[in-house]
Amino acid sequence: MARKVVITGLGATTPIGGDVPTLWANALKGVSGAHTLTDEWVEKYALPVRFAAKASTPAADVLSRVELKRMDPSTQFAVVAAREAWKDSGIEEVDHDRFAVAFATGIGGVWTLLDAWDTLKEKGPRRVLPMTVPMLMPNGPAAAVSLDLGARAGAHTPVSACASGTEAMHLGLDLIRAGKADVVMCGGAEAAIHPMPMASFAAMQALSKRNDDPEHASRPYDVNRDGFVMGEGAGALVLEAEEHALARGAHIYAELAGTSVTADAYHITAPDPEGLGATRALKAAMFDGLIQPEDVVHVNAHATSTPVGDKPEYTALRAALGNRLDTVSVSATKSQMGHLLGASGAVESVLTVLAVQERKAPVTINLENQDPEIPLDVVTGTPRDLPSGQIVALNNSFGFGGHNAVVAIRSV
Amino acid sequence: MGREISVGRVPAQEKGSLMASNEEILAGLAEIVNEETGLATEAVQLDKSFTDDLDIDSISMMTIVVNAEEKFDVKIPDEEVKNLKTVGDAVNFIANAQA
């Protein structure tokens, strides 16, 4: 019998809340974190997309000046979220050699990398900061969290584009089940609202171009969806072996019942139109957690609001859940906070855990005219009550490269 | 020796000179150290060792050196940095380099 793994701490910094209580309150209310960008680089480079969903609480409001200087913005978000999750877990003493980190990012230290490149070109090599490489490396967030909290059972960095944060949960579960750690700080962080990724995603036609109405740009499942909205931030979850949590009398939010990761091997950016990789991921996560379709009451969907992405996820959900899907409450929370790329899976896992614990599915905003090819029961308007008894919710994340990751959260 | 260094003993710069006086160099250096490490500017005294007293690691030291080069318009060769053990060493080096 595999070790049971539970979730005992939550942290987040997002476009709709700089901490978990604010995030959750807004997710139930239904607000948009997307706004017109006022940064000088938007005009300077004449970017075709001029809005994004920035973190509602800048890291500069929370961290010290020296911490800010030594960390890429993605790492800053990671540390903010991890500290909140750690405090929330109530863990006062831990065997540091049995405490691991699995903290993901999709892009890593893009601001540090490109700022240093500008410095090199404009001022020469002498002015390139010695901390540049340790700040830009993708393991920067995991390493900083490990250092900050004293986690010595490995600091891991799953990198699978927009599936990264969810893959971190998958890795954390494996580490505890395999007996390699008792506590794992899982999460994902991203800070890529920078002109280069904005230009690249726009060139790919992946971003919404609704410049005149940013708040209504992220509209998963709507017939008029035209792309995703860039977001930023971090989410963090403390995973703990159940016996470890019980021994210290911890507050347990929910069980991390099952996870899975699959790859499409179909196309580097396009989702498999039949959603086969996503279907396998859903079925594998349910198998992993001994979950039947009728156990599932809620899905926090990947649903980025791109014309091509939203439908294959529906196909996969239908294949995995069958008729049960018709009574599953689906929330597309990217409608509110945009797409946090490598952080999205972690933040959406935080929301999924809260949905299970509070028995409420957060709302999807901007869905005015639902795509008839995606007949999901989408939660709009007001939050939806979830049933009593034992329930399961799924969180899907998919990433460029054909990555599919699913976590299954069960009530306790 | 470091403890005996005091600002008063260093010859004052001529009035109107573009070069900074030792007091100004110390103040400027303290700002750079504060910016890099968060240490209070008052903690940056001539007799303080960068490593032993101010707990500044080699990476921060290189950043401080490069910022000082820009601020005071001097060159501080890499091989010279290991000789700058105290704040006073750095102030004297910068003052001499400007002369």
Side-chain angles (χ1 to χ4, degrees):
Chain A
M1 185 70 189
R3 287 173 105 188
K4 202 162 153 183
V5 175
V6 294
I7 294 155
T8 55
L10 302 177
T13 181
T14 75
I16 59 166
D19 55 28
V20 169
T22 313
L23 165 68
W24 181 240
N26 281 330
L28 295 180
K29 203 184 298 173
V31 302
S32 173
H35 305 289
T36 299
L37 290 169
T38 54
D39 306 77
E40 46 85 23
W41 44 261
V42 177
E43 287 291 318
K44 183 177 174 188
Y45 299 115
L47 289 181
V49 175
R50 300 189 291 279
F51 63 99
K54 286 196 172 184
S56 58
T57 302
D61 292 1
V62 187
L63 300 177
S64 75
R65 193 161 43 106
V66 174
E67 287 173 324
L68 294 169
K69 282 179 73 80
R70 286 252 168 149
M71 297 177 193
D72 179 80
S74 58
T75 297
Q76 294 167 14
F77 289 142
V79 168
V80 169
R83 282 181 184 167
E84 185 190 10
W86 190 244
K87 191 174 173 212
D88 184 46
S89 76
I91 297 178
E92 284 168 2
E93 279 178 41
V94 66
D95 179 347
H96 293 272
D97 295 346
R98 302 281 304 158
F99 172 26
V101 172
F103 226 98
T105 182
I107 297 183
V110 65
W111 274 103
T112 299
L113 173 67
L114 295 175
D115 280 353
W117 176 238
D118 287 344
T119 301
L120 176 68
K121 287 187 294 179
E122 288 161 19
K123 298 180 179 170
R126 184 76 172 159
R127 298 291 300 167
V128 173
L129 290 171
M131 281 295 283
T132 301
V133 169
M135 283 169 67
L136 70 85
M137 61 194 190
N139 55 315
V145 169
S146 155
L147 189 65
D148 197 52
L149 300 176
R152 297 198 290 248
H156 310 269
T157 308
V159 176
S160 48
C162 307
S164 305
T166 302
E167 186 159 348
M169 302 278 288
H170 173 71
L171 177 60
L173 182 70
D174 277 356
L175 287 170
I176 295 177
R177 280 185 181 164
K180 294 178 179 171
D182 299 322
V183 180
V184 183
M185 176 64 76
C186 286
E190 202 75 78
I193 301 178
H194 175 287
M196 191 281 284
M198 292 281 291
S200 171
F201 282 125
M204 193 186 273
Q205 311 299 318
L207 292 180
S208 168
K209 295 190 179 70
R210 206 175 284 255
N211 286 313
D212 54 347
D213 191 12
E215 287 78 12
H216 297 99
S218 186
R219 40 200 313 125
Y221 309 133
D222 192 273
V223 287
N224 293 318
R225 67 190 185 276
D226 72 330
F228 75 82
V229 174
M230 283 279 277
E232 64 174 9
L237 303 95
V238 176
L239 306 192
E240 202 170 344
E242 186 189 39
E243 77 271 10
H244 190 278
L246 291 175
R248 68 181 184 89
H251 167 250
I252 295 173
Y253 282 96
E255 179 193 1
L256 179 57
T259 62
S260 74
V261 167
T262 66
D264 281 352
Y266 171 80
H267 187 275
I268 193 68
T269 56
D272 178 342
E274 293 175 60
L276 295 179
T279 304
R280 282 188 296 116
L282 282 159
K283 287 183 173 175
M286 290 165 64
F287 181 79
D288 187 45
L290 305 174
I291 294 159
Q292 301 300 320
E294 49 271 24
D295 301 330
V296 178
V297 299
H298 169 58
V299 171
N300 187 307
H302 185 61
T304 61
S305 176
T306 59
V308 295
D310 292 0
K311 174 134 187 285
E313 184 180 18
Y314 163 71
T315 308
L317 284 166
R318 179 62 74 186
L321 297 174
N323 292 338
R324 173 68 195 184
L325 182 61
D326 297 328
T327 51
V328 168
S329 301
V330 177
S331 299
T333 48
K334 287 186 182 77
S335 61
Q336 298 195 45
M337 58 187 157
H339 190 350
L340 277 63
L341 310 182
S344 65
V347 172
E348 287 155 21
S349 288
V350 168
L351 291 175
T352 309
V353 167
L354 288 169
V356 166
Q357 192 206 246
E358 302 292 324
R359 312 256 166 185
K360 273 195 191 308
V363 303
T364 305
I365 63 169
N366 299 333
L367 181 55
E368 290 165 359
N369 196 356
Q370 190 166 346
D371 187 335
E373 293 186 7
I374 310 178
L376 288 166
D377 184 7
V378 183
V379 179
T380 58
T382 53
R384 175 100 47 91
D385 288 340
L386 297 176
S388 55
Q390 191 172 71
I391 58 171
V392 170
L394 305 174
N395 173 30
N396 293 337
S397 298
F398 312 122
F400 285 162
H403 305 278
N404 310 294
V406 177
V407 300
I409 308 289
R410 183 155 45 212
S411 60
V412 290
Chain B
M1 283 298 289
R3 290 191 183 283
E4 291 168 39
I5 296 172
S6 76
V7 177
R9 286 171 56 195
V10 181
Q13 302 291 341
E14 289 174 40
K15 267 191 177 171
S17 165
L18 288 174
M19 291 182 293
S21 71
N22 284 38
E23 290 91 339
E24 287 166 342
I25 294 171
L26 176 61
L29 209 50
E31 278 174 25
I32 291 170
V33 170
N34 168 265
E35 181 69 26
E36 175 64 16
T37 66
L39 279 168
T41 51
E42 307 85 71
V44 184
Q45 302 285 340
L46 290 173
D47 62 339
K48 297 293 183 203
S49 157
F50 285 110
T51 51
D52 298 342
D53 297 323
L54 304 181
D55 203 23
I56 289 171
D57 62 23
S58 59
I59 286 180
S60 283
M61 189 63 191
M62 283 312 298
T63 307
I64 290 164
V65 162
V66 171
N67 287 336
E69 283 185 335
E70 186 164 78
K71 186 163 201 149
F72 301 113
D73 194 25
V74 295
K75 288 299 289 180
I76 307 175
D78 287 351
E79 55 274 21
E80 194 61 45
V81 174
K82 63 178 183 305
N83 299 325
L84 306 180
K85 299 203 184 309
T86 65
V87 174
D89 294 342
V91 170
N92 286 338
F93 185 92
I94 292 165
N96 289 331
Q98 283 185 326

Short mmCIF file of all heavy atoms in Angstrom, two decimals, chain A residues 250-295:
data_model
loop_
_atom_site.label_atom_id
_atom_site.label_comp_id
_atom_site.label_asym_id
_atom_site.label_seq_id
_atom_site.Cartn_x
_atom_site.Cartn_y
_atom_site.Cartn_z
N ALA A 250 -1.69 18.15 12.37
CA ALA A 250 -1.81 19.21 11.37
C ALA A 250 -3.23 19.37 10.85
O ALA A 250 -4.02 18.43 10.85
CB ALA A 250 -0.88 18.89 10.18
N HIS A 251 -3.53 20.59 10.39
CA HIS A 251 -4.76 20.79 9.63
C HIS A 251 -4.53 20.24 8.22
O HIS A 251 -3.58 20.64 7.54
CB HIS A 251 -5.11 22.28 9.54
CG HIS A 251 -6.16 22.57 8.53
ND1 HIS A 251 -5.91 23.25 7.34
CD2 HIS A 251 -7.48 22.25 8.50
CE1 HIS A 251 -7.02 23.32 6.65
NE2 HIS A 251 -7.99 22.73 7.32
N ILE A 252 -5.39 19.33 7.81
CA ILE A 252 -5.25 18.71 6.49
C ILE A 252 -6.34 19.27 5.57
O ILE A 252 -7.53 19.16 5.87
CB ILE A 252 -5.36 17.17 6.60
CG1 ILE A 252 -4.17 16.64 7.40
CG2 ILE A 252 -5.41 16.54 5.21
CD1 ILE A 252 -4.25 15.15 7.72
N TYR A 253 -5.90 19.88 4.47
CA TYR A 253 -6.87 20.44 3.50
C TYR A 253 -7.55 19.32 2.71
O TYR A 253 -8.77 19.33 2.54
CB TYR A 253 -6.16 21.36 2.50
CG TYR A 253 -5.83 22.72 3.03
CD1 TYR A 253 -4.57 22.99 3.55
CD2 TYR A 253 -6.76 23.76 2.98
CE1 TYR A 253 -4.25 24.25 4.01
CE2 TYR A 253 -6.46 25.02 3.44
CZ TYR A 253 -5.20 25.27 3.96
OH TYR A 253 -4.89 26.52 4.41
N ALA A 254 -6.71 18.42 2.18
CA ALA A 254 -7.22 17.39 1.28
C ALA A 254 -6.12 16.38 1.04
O ALA A 254 -4.98 16.58 1.45
CB ALA A 254 -7.66 18.02 -0.05
N GLU A 255 -6.50 15.30 0.36
CA GLU A 255 -5.51 14.29 -0.02
C GLU A 255 -5.08 14.51 -1.47
O GLU A 255 -5.93 14.77 -2.33
CB GLU A 255 -6.13 12.88 0.13
CG GLU A 255 -5.16 11.77 -0.28
CD GLU A 255 -5.83 10.41 -0.44
OE1 GLU A 255 -7.07 10.32 -0.26
OE2 GLU A 255 -5.11 9.44 -0.77
N LEU A 256 -3.80 14.41 -1.73
CA LEU A 256 -3.33 14.35 -3.11
C LEU A 256 -3.41 12.88 -3.50
O LEU A 256 -2.51 12.08 -3.22
CB LEU A 256 -1.90 14.88 -3.25
CG LEU A 256 -1.31 14.84 -4.66
CD1 LEU A 256 -2.19 15.60 -5.65
CD2 LEU A 256 0.10 15.40 -4.67
N ALA A 257 -4.55 12.52 -4.12
CA ALA A 257 -4.87 11.10 -4.28
C ALA A 257 -4.11 10.45 -5.44
O ALA A 257 -3.69 9.30 -5.35
CB ALA A 257 -6.38 10.95 -4.50
N GLY A 258 -3.95 11.18 -6.53
CA GLY A 258 -3.28 10.60 -7.68
C GLY A 258 -2.77 11.67 -8.62
O GLY A 258 -3.29 12.79 -8.63
N THR A 259 -1.76 11.33 -9.37
CA THR A 259 -1.20 12.28 -10.35
C THR A 259 -0.75 11.48 -11.58
O THR A 259 -0.60 10.27 -11.51
CB THR A 259 0.03 13.02 -9.81
OG1 THR A 259 1.05 12.07 -9.54
CG2 THR A 259 -0.29 13.81 -8.55
N SER A 260 -0.53 12.21 -12.66
CA SER A 260 0.07 11.54 -13.83
C SER A 260 0.69 12.57 -14.75
O SER A 260 0.31 13.75 -14.72
CB SER A 260 -0.97 10.74 -14.60
OG SER A 260 -1.80 11.63 -15.32
N VAL A 261 1.60 12.10 -15.55
CA VAL A 261 2.22 12.90 -16.60
C VAL A 261 2.31 12.05 -17.85
O VAL A 261 2.74 10.88 -17.77
CB VAL A 261 3.65 13.36 -16.17
CG1 VAL A 261 4.41 13.93 -17.35
CG2 VAL A 261 3.56 14.40 -15.05
N THR A 262 1.87 12.60 -18.98
CA THR A 262 2.06 11.90 -20.25
C THR A 262 2.58 12.90 -21.29
O THR A 262 2.60 14.10 -21.04
CB THR A 262 0.74 11.29 -20.80
OG1 THR A 262 -0.15 12.37 -21.15
CG2 THR A 262 0.08 10.36 -19.80
N ALA A 263 3.01 12.37 -22.42
CA ALA A 263 3.45 13.23 -23.52
C ALA A 263 2.70 12.84 -24.79
O ALA A 263 2.47 11.66 -25.05
CB ALA A 263 4.96 13.08 -23.73
N ASP A 264 2.34 13.87 -25.57
CA ASP A 264 1.59 13.61 -26.82
C ASP A 264 2.45 12.93 -27.89
O ASP A 264 1.96 12.10 -28.64
CB ASP A 264 1.09 14.94 -27.42
CG ASP A 264 -0.14 15.48 -26.71
OD1 ASP A 264 -0.70 14.77 -25.85
OD2 ASP A 264 -0.53 16.63 -27.02
N ALA A 265 3.70 13.37 -28.01
CA ALA A 265 4.54 12.97 -29.14
C ALA A 265 3.76 13.19 -30.46
O ALA A 265 3.72 12.33 -31.33
CB ALA A 265 5.00 11.52 -29.01
N TYR A 266 3.16 14.37 -30.54
CA TYR A 266 2.32 14.68 -31.71
C TYR A 266 2.84 15.93 -32.43
O TYR A 266 3.06 15.92 -33.64
CB TYR A 266 0.88 14.87 -31.26
CG TYR A 266 -0.04 15.42 -32.34
CD1 TYR A 266 -0.56 14.59 -33.33
CD2 TYR A 266 -0.36 16.79 -32.37
CE1 TYR A 266 -1.37 15.10 -34.33
CE2 TYR A 266 -1.19 17.30 -33.37
CZ TYR A 266 -1.69 16.46 -34.35
OH TYR A 266 -2.49 16.96 -35.33
N HIS A 267 3.02 17.04 -31.70
CA HIS A 267 3.48 18.29 -32.30
C HIS A 267 4.08 19.14 -31.19
O HIS A 267 3.66 19.04 -30.04
CB HIS A 267 2.30 19.03 -32.94
CG HIS A 267 2.68 20.24 -33.74
ND1 HIS A 267 2.86 21.48 -33.18
CD2 HIS A 267 2.93 20.39 -35.07
CE1 HIS A 267 3.19 22.35 -34.12
NE2 HIS A 267 3.25 21.71 -35.27
N ILE A 268 5.05 20.00 -31.54
CA ILE A 268 5.73 20.74 -30.49
C ILE A 268 4.82 21.76 -29.79
O ILE A 268 4.95 21.99 -28.60
CB ILE A 268 7.02 21.41 -31.03
CG1 ILE A 268 7.91 21.93 -29.90
CG2 ILE A 268 6.73 22.51 -32.02
CD1 ILE A 268 8.52 20.85 -29.04
N THR A 269 3.87 22.36 -30.54
CA THR A 269 2.97 23.32 -29.89
C THR A 269 1.49 22.94 -29.99
O THR A 269 0.74 23.21 -29.05
CB THR A 269 3.14 24.75 -30.48
OG1 THR A 269 2.92 24.67 -31.89
CG2 THR A 269 4.51 25.31 -30.18
N ALA A 270 1.08 22.36 -31.10
CA ALA A 270 -0.36 22.07 -31.27
C ALA A 270 -0.77 20.90 -30.39
O ALA A 270 -0.05 19.92 -30.29
CB ALA A 270 -0.65 21.74 -32.74
N PRO A 271 -1.93 21.03 -29.73
CA PRO A 271 -2.43 19.87 -28.98
C PRO A 271 -2.91 18.79 -29.94
O PRO A 271 -3.38 19.09 -31.04
CB PRO A 271 -3.60 20.45 -28.17
CG PRO A 271 -4.04 21.66 -28.91
CD PRO A 271 -2.84 22.19 -29.68
N ASP A 272 -2.78 17.55 -29.54
CA ASP A 272 -3.36 16.45 -30.29
C ASP A 272 -4.85 16.74 -30.43
O ASP A 272 -5.56 16.87 -29.43
CB ASP A 272 -3.12 15.16 -29.49
CG ASP A 272 -3.74 13.94 -30.15
OD1 ASP A 272 -4.63 14.10 -31.01
OD2 ASP A 272 -3.33 12.83 -29.78
N PRO A 273 -5.38 16.88 -31.66
CA PRO A 273 -6.78 17.29 -31.82
C PRO A 273 -7.77 16.32 -31.17
O PRO A 273 -8.87 16.71 -30.79
CB PRO A 273 -6.97 17.36 -33.34
CG PRO A 273 -5.80 16.66 -33.94
CD PRO A 273 -4.69 16.70 -32.94
N GLU A 274 -7.37 15.07 -31.04
CA GLU A 274 -8.26 14.10 -30.37
C GLU A 274 -8.00 14.02 -28.88
O GLU A 274 -8.66 13.25 -28.17
CB GLU A 274 -8.08 12.72 -31.01
CG GLU A 274 -8.57 12.65 -32.45
CD GLU A 274 -8.27 11.28 -33.05
OE1 GLU A 274 -8.77 10.28 -32.52
OE2 GLU A 274 -7.52 11.24 -34.05
N GLY A 275 -7.03 14.81 -28.41
CA GLY A 275 -6.77 14.85 -26.97
C GLY A 275 -6.32 13.52 -26.40
O GLY A 275 -6.58 13.21 -25.23
N LEU A 276 -5.61 12.72 -27.21
CA LEU A 276 -5.26 11.37 -26.74
C LEU A 276 -4.29 11.39 -25.57
O LEU A 276 -4.44 10.63 -24.61
CB LEU A 276 -4.67 10.55 -27.90
CG LEU A 276 -5.63 10.26 -29.07
CD1 LEU A 276 -4.91 9.47 -30.17
CD2 LEU A 276 -6.85 9.48 -28.57
N GLY A 277 -3.30 12.28 -25.65
CA GLY A 277 -2.33 12.36 -24.54
C GLY A 277 -3.00 12.84 -23.27
O GLY A 277 -2.70 12.33 -22.18
N ALA A 278 -3.90 13.79 -23.41
CA ALA A 278 -4.62 14.31 -22.24
C ALA A 278 -5.55 13.24 -21.67
O ALA A 278 -5.69 13.11 -20.46
CB ALA A 278 -5.41 15.56 -22.64
N THR A 279 -6.16 12.47 -22.54
CA THR A 279 -7.04 11.39 -22.08
C THR A 279 -6.24 10.37 -21.27
O THR A 279 -6.65 9.95 -20.19
CB THR A 279 -7.69 10.66 -23.28
OG1 THR A 279 -8.38 11.62 -24.06
CG2 THR A 279 -8.64 9.57 -22.82
N ARG A 280 -5.09 10.00 -21.80
CA ARG A 280 -4.26 9.03 -21.08
C ARG A 280 -3.84 9.61 -19.72
O ARG A 280 -3.78 8.89 -18.73
CB ARG A 280 -3.03 8.65 -21.92
CG ARG A 280 -3.36 7.65 -23.03
CD ARG A 280 -2.09 7.14 -23.72
NE ARG A 280 -1.40 8.21 -24.42
CZ ARG A 280 -0.19 8.64 -24.11
NH1 ARG A 280 0.49 8.10 -23.12
NH2 ARG A 280 0.37 9.63 -24.80
N ALA A 281 -3.55 10.91 -19.70
CA ALA A 281 -3.13 11.53 -18.43
C ALA A 281 -4.28 11.50 -17.42
O ALA A 281 -4.08 11.16 -16.25
CB ALA A 281 -2.67 12.96 -18.67
N LEU A 282 -5.47 11.84 -17.86
CA LEU A 282 -6.63 11.81 -16.96
C LEU A 282 -6.88 10.41 -16.42
O LEU A 282 -7.08 10.21 -15.22
CB LEU A 282 -7.88 12.33 -17.69
CG LEU A 282 -7.98 13.85 -17.84
CD1 LEU A 282 -8.92 14.23 -18.99
CD2 LEU A 282 -8.48 14.46 -16.53
N LYS A 283 -6.87 9.44 -17.33
CA LYS A 283 -7.14 8.06 -16.91
C LYS A 283 -6.03 7.56 -15.96
O LYS A 283 -6.31 6.86 -14.99
CB LYS A 283 -7.25 7.15 -18.13
CG LYS A 283 -8.56 7.35 -18.90
CD LYS A 283 -8.68 6.38 -20.07
CE LYS A 283 -10.06 6.47 -20.71
NZ LYS A 283 -10.16 5.63 -21.92
N ALA A 284 -4.81 7.94 -16.26
CA ALA A 284 -3.69 7.48 -15.43
C ALA A 284 -3.75 8.09 -14.03
O ALA A 284 -3.46 7.42 -13.03
CB ALA A 284 -2.36 7.82 -16.10
N ALA A 285 -4.13 9.36 -13.94
CA ALA A 285 -4.23 10.00 -12.62
C ALA A 285 -5.35 9.36 -11.81
O ALA A 285 -5.22 9.16 -10.60
CB ALA A 285 -4.47 11.50 -12.78
N MET A 286 -6.45 9.04 -12.47
CA MET A 286 -7.57 8.41 -11.77
C MET A 286 -7.20 6.99 -11.34
O MET A 286 -7.50 6.57 -10.22
CB MET A 286 -8.82 8.41 -12.67
CG MET A 286 -9.39 9.82 -12.84
SD MET A 286 -10.58 9.94 -14.21
CE MET A 286 -11.87 8.86 -13.64
N PHE A 287 -6.50 6.28 -12.22
CA PHE A 287 -6.04 4.94 -11.87
C PHE A 287 -5.09 5.00 -10.67
O PHE A 287 -5.20 4.22 -9.72
CB PHE A 287 -5.34 4.30 -13.08
CG PHE A 287 -4.83 2.91 -12.85
CD1 PHE A 287 -5.70 1.82 -12.89
CD2 PHE A 287 -3.49 2.68 -12.56
CE1 PHE A 287 -5.22 0.54 -12.66
CE2 PHE A 287 -3.02 1.39 -12.33
CZ PHE A 287 -3.88 0.33 -12.38
N ASP A 288 -4.20 5.99 -10.73
CA ASP A 288 -3.19 6.17 -9.66
C ASP A 288 -3.86 6.42 -8.32
O ASP A 288 -3.38 5.96 -7.28
CB ASP A 288 -2.29 7.35 -10.04
CG ASP A 288 -1.12 7.52 -9.09
OD1 ASP A 288 -0.49 6.51 -8.75
OD2 ASP A 288 -0.85 8.66 -8.68
N GLY A 289 -4.98 7.14 -8.35
CA GLY A 289 -5.66 7.49 -7.10
C GLY A 289 -6.84 6.58 -6.78
O GLY A 289 -7.62 6.88 -5.88
N LEU A 290 -6.98 5.47 -7.52
CA LEU A 290 -8.11 4.54 -7.33
C LEU A 290 -9.44 5.31 -7.38
O LEU A 290 -10.29 5.21 -6.49
CB LEU A 290 -7.98 3.78 -6.00
CG LEU A 290 -6.65 3.04 -5.79
CD1 LEU A 290 -6.56 2.46 -4.37
CD2 LEU A 290 -6.48 1.93 -6.82
N ILE A 291 -9.59 6.09 -8.44
CA ILE A 291 -10.74 6.98 -8.58
C ILE A 291 -11.62 6.51 -9.74
O ILE A 291 -11.12 6.21 -10.83
CB ILE A 291 -10.25 8.43 -8.85
CG1 ILE A 291 -9.50 8.95 -7.61
CG2 ILE A 291 -11.41 9.35 -9.24
CD1 ILE A 291 -8.57 10.11 -7.91
N GLN A 292 -12.91 6.44 -9.50
CA GLN A 292 -13.88 6.11 -10.55
C GLN A 292 -14.48 7.42 -11.08
O GLN A 292 -14.54 8.42 -10.35
CB GLN A 292 -15.02 5.25 -9.98
CG GLN A 292 -14.55 3.94 -9.36
CD GLN A 292 -13.82 3.05 -10.36
OE1 GLN A 292 -14.23 2.95 -11.52
NE2 GLN A 292 -12.73 2.44 -9.94
N PRO A 293 -14.97 7.40 -12.35
CA PRO A 293 -15.56 8.63 -12.90
C PRO A 293 -16.64 9.23 -11.98
O PRO A 293 -16.73 10.45 -11.82
CB PRO A 293 -16.16 8.17 -14.23
CG PRO A 293 -15.28 7.03 -14.64
CD PRO A 293 -14.89 6.33 -13.35
N GLU A 294 -17.44 8.36 -11.32
CA GLU A 294 -18.54 8.89 -10.49
C GLU A 294 -18.05 9.57 -9.21
O GLU A 294 -18.83 10.24 -8.53
CB GLU A 294 -19.57 7.79 -10.17
CG GLU A 294 -19.00 6.51 -9.65
CD GLU A 294 -18.63 5.52 -10.78
OE1 GLU A 294 -18.39 5.94 -11.93
OE2 GLU A 294 -18.59 4.32 -10.49
N ASP A 295 -16.76 9.40 -8.87
CA ASP A 295 -16.21 10.10 -7.71
C ASP A 295 -15.94 11.58 -8.01
O ASP A 295 -15.82 12.40 -7.11
CB ASP A 295 -14.87 9.47 -7.27
CG ASP A 295 -14.99 8.01 -6.89
OD1 ASP A 295 -16.08 7.62 -6.42
OD2 ASP A 295 -14.01 7.26 -7.08
#
